[in-house]
Amino acid sequence: MSRPKFVAGNWKMHGSLPANLSLLSAVKAKAAGLKAQIAVCVPYPYLAQAQSVLAGSNVAWGAQDLSEHAQGAYTGEVSGSMLHDFGCRYVIIGHSERRSYYGDTDAVVAAKYAAALKAGLTPILCVGETLAEREADITAQVVTRQLDAVIAASGVESLAKAVVAYEPVWAIGTGKTATPAQAQDVHALIRARVAAAGREVAAGLQILYGGSVKPGNAKELFGQPDIDGGLIGGASLVADDFIGICAAG
Ligand code: 13P
């Protein structure tokens, strides 16, 4: 099955109204006509701005997290239906920064993933090992455990409506990109794990690579058989860099 390439930006906690306006406008203009599917995941307060600038373009938008709860007394949290109200198509779930700084355990990640689907959003489920885990040679166990938590809670069929992003924690924001072969190995492992439970779902699943992707390394990464695009941090904040990566898709 041939899978369309998908490039998603994760702005993390960056932006301001005037800076976003020029970045979103430039991305929108330069993305027109590109083959890859494209999205930007912005901080919550800027969703309305993303919606107003990007509506009707070929750039979708989304959020970087959501609550596992539908509504209620959860001060500071944002629900899936609220994201839906602002036209979000995507939401990042289980980013390593959420897992390591904000206590998003595998169980919490699985609950957020389920909440996203329930709200009609496409989860971008992040998995990936730390440097210590890679050095201890347990990358496969870690990634499998993170994936299995979601499959156990929502079923393998749910992955037909989701995207997976492999982000080795040691490659995020460090300038150290996984080699195309290192990334491909883990992507193949993820696809095989999903295939064991659902062959067709695995064949259609978009698996993105994230971690220091730049215009200069995107083409080789995206050329690997199981790499279907990228989840882009730093480079998504510079219109030409982000578009350069999208053009590699
Ligand atoms: P960088 O592209 O800045 O390494 O960040 C990757 C990432 O965490 C995207 O979610």
Side-chain angles (χ1 to χ4, degrees):
M1 182 186 291
S2 97
R3 294 173 297 270
K5 294 284 194 252
F6 177 36
V7 179
N10 173 8
W11 285 11
K12 308 192 178 185
M13 199 173 74
H14 293 285
S16 67
L17 286 172
N20 302 347
L21 182 60
S22 50
L23 177 54
L24 290 167
S25 306
V27 166
K28 174 183 166 172
K30 293 172 192 208
L34 291 183
K35 230 175 40 234
Q37 298 171 348
I38 302 171
V40 290
C41 294
V42 306
Y44 294 136
Y46 300 134
L47 285 171
Q49 186 187 27
Q51 180 176 33
S52 101
V53 177
L54 299 175
S57 77
N58 63 329
V59 181
W61 59 96
Q64 301 167 14
D65 190 26
L66 87 172
S67 171
E68 64 269 48
H69 303 290
Q71 61 172 4
Y74 302 105
T75 301
E77 291 292 280
V78 172
S79 73
S81 67
M82 294 172 187
L83 300 183
H84 199 264
D85 277 348
F86 285 90
C88 288
R89 189 177 309 163
Y90 298 99
V91 59
I92 298 172
I93 309 277
H95 190 279
S96 63
E97 288 149 19
R98 300 294 321 170
R99 292 180 190 262
S100 63
Y101 307 149
Y102 300 101
D104 283 14
T105 60
D106 288 338
V108 169
V109 169
K112 289 184 172 185
Y113 173 94
L117 287 173
K118 206 164 172 203
L121 303 165
T122 300
I124 301 175
L125 171 68
C126 298
V127 297
E129 81 288 2
T130 62
L131 183 58
E133 290 164 339
R134 175 159 283 263
E135 284 173 346
D137 210 15
I138 55 168
T139 297
Q141 286 99 306
V142 170
V143 168
T144 301
R145 189 202 74 222
Q146 291 171 335
L147 197 59
D148 285 356
V150 165
I151 295 176
S154 292
V156 75
E157 292 301 323
S158 72
L159 286 166
K161 294 188 179 140
V163 173
V164 171
Y166 167 57
E167 297 208 318
V169 179
W170 48 271
I172 295 176
T174 57
K176 278 188 207 149
T177 319
T179 65
Q182 277 175 324
Q184 165 59 25
D185 279 354
V186 181
H187 282 233
L189 176 146
I190 292 168
R191 199 176 306 285
R193 187 75 186 180
V194 175
R199 216 163 231 306
E200 254 183 61
V201 177
L205 179 65
Q206 286 174 316
I207 308 176
L208 313 183
Y209 167 78
S212 300
V213 180
K214 296 178 187 66
N217 60 24
K219 209 161 187 73
E220 205 188 343
L221 283 162
F222 298 174
Q224 302 300 308
D226 289 295
I227 301 185
D228 305 307
L231 183 55
I232 318 301
S236 74
L237 300 170
V238 179
D240 284 341
D241 288 355
F242 186 59
I243 290 297
I245 294 167
C246 295

